[in-house]
Amino acid sequence: MAITSKPRVRVPAQAKAGEIIEIKTLISHEMESGQRKDSSGKTVPRDIINSFEAAFNGKPFFKADWFPAISANPFQSFFFKATESGEFTFTWKDDGGSEQKATAKLTVG
């Protein structure tokens, strides 16, 4: 199953120089672990988002590798020290090779 949902990202629009901001992300995905069986007894193939990466102005600063124990519709929250204005890029990749991206701008003043 390809990642088809639009991710939700919450980033403050503005921050003071040196301020630590919280970033929250959420994406809808069933996150099939590969442990379950269907009604005919066949194992349902694993299909999870296996990596998440956040970059600021093209430079990665946060990466998470996810495994089958991650719940459906994974939520990720983390912190970032604002030093300059720019754009965040968030990337989710799944087992099938599909990728979903989201962006958000930050103004430091």
Side-chain angles (χ1 to χ4, degrees):
M1 164 187 267
I3 305 172
T4 57
S5 67
K6 182 178 178 187
R8 289 179 266 173
V9 175
R10 184 171 291 170
V11 176
Q14 297 181 353
K16 295 177 184 171
E19 182 179 356
I20 296 177
I21 60 170
E22 184 175 16
I23 298 169
K24 297 178 181 181
T25 68
L26 176 71
I27 189 163
S28 296
H29 194 280
E30 291 180 9
M31 301 292 278
E32 184 57 59
S33 70
Q35 305 286 321
R36 209 169 49 87
K37 296 190 185 296
D38 64 15
S39 60
S40 65
K42 293 182 181 177
T43 302
V44 178
R46 179 181 131 150
D47 182 20
I48 67 168
I49 296 174
N50 55 41
S51 71
F52 169 78
E53 183 176 285
F56 185 70
N57 289 337
K59 297 176 189 166
F61 70 92
F62 182 87
K63 180 165 175 38
D65 292 325
W66 292 345
F67 299 92
I70 296 292
S71 68
N73 308 319
F75 169 79
Q76 182 74 60
S77 175
F78 51 95
F79 296 92
F80 179 79
K81 186 174 184 179
T83 57
E84 63 183 353
S85 297
E87 184 174 74
F88 291 98
T89 303
F90 306 99
T91 307
W92 294 260
K93 295 180 183 178
D94 74 4
D95 286 341
S98 70
E99 180 176 288
Q100 185 67 277
K101 290 187 181 244
T103 60
K105 292 187 186 277
L106 174 68
T107 302
V108 173

